[in-house]
Amino acid sequence: MHTLVKGLIAGAAGTSALNVASYLDMVIRARGASSTPGQAVERLAGLAEVDLGDGERREHRKEALGSLLGYGTGAGAAVCYGLLASGRRPPCAVGVLGLTALAMLGSNVPLTALGATDPREWTASAWVSDVLPHLAYGITAYAAYELLRS
């Protein structure tokens, strides 16, 4: 199976795990969904001069596009990992941490560049809300990628 396909499948599995971890956190702590992806979509739409519509339609599009950006980030991180690990089998801890880091960088660097967030201002609770789901991504994406290699 081609590296790209393995990466896309591993990224989808990892993104599903990230979403489950995020939703469990929302249930446990009774917190709302992050508004950051929607803010990023708003800023990207402004830069691209794309009209998202008005009122409810605008909010629904921002929510959906924010989610799709997350899936793209998850797929991209795992494809990058596959390209970097091509021909090598990094130890489990290295692979998991590498995928976790790629996913965190892939989401937080663009969000920071767009001004939608600033990790320097995050509370400990905000860091936990970011790191743990990304770690779930890293563990799952690594396991999926390695299973597909076999």
Side-chain angles (χ1 to χ4, degrees):
M1 188 178 306
H2 193 273
T3 300
L4 176 65
V5 175
K6 287 186 277 196
L8 291 173
I9 293 169
T15 302
S16 294
L18 181 144
N19 288 337
V20 167
S22 295
Y23 290 129
L24 285 172
D25 178 46
M26 291 166 66
V27 168
I28 291 166
R29 295 193 302 154
R31 70 171 181 83
S34 174
S35 62
T36 306
Q39 292 171 12
V41 168
E42 186 88 44
R43 291 196 168 98
L44 286 170
L47 290 171
E49 298 181 7
V50 172
D51 182 13
L52 296 173
D54 295 314
E56 246 183 52
R57 293 172 63 97
R58 179 180 198 81
E59 293 308 309
H60 294 318
R61 285 188 176 124
K62 283 175 20 183
E63 185 177 344
L65 288 168
S67 293
L68 289 171
L69 285 174
Y71 282 102
T73 300
V79 167
C80 286
Y81 172 80
L83 293 171
L84 291 170
S86 183
R88 287 174 255 146
R89 283 195 183 250
C92 179
V94 172
V96 167
L97 291 176
L99 278 156
T100 300
L102 285 168
M104 286 185 72
L105 289 169
S107 62
N108 292 325
V109 168
L111 292 174
T112 302
L114 287 167
T117 190
D118 185 350
R120 296 173 298 183
E121 297 175 1
W122 291 359
T123 63
S125 173
W127 274 102
V128 168
S129 293
D130 194 61
V131 171
L132 291 181
H134 283 99
L135 183 58
Y137 168 91
I139 292 166
T140 305
Y142 177 81
Y145 196 86
E146 288 303 313
L147 286 170
L148 292 168
R149 275 183 150 176
S150 301

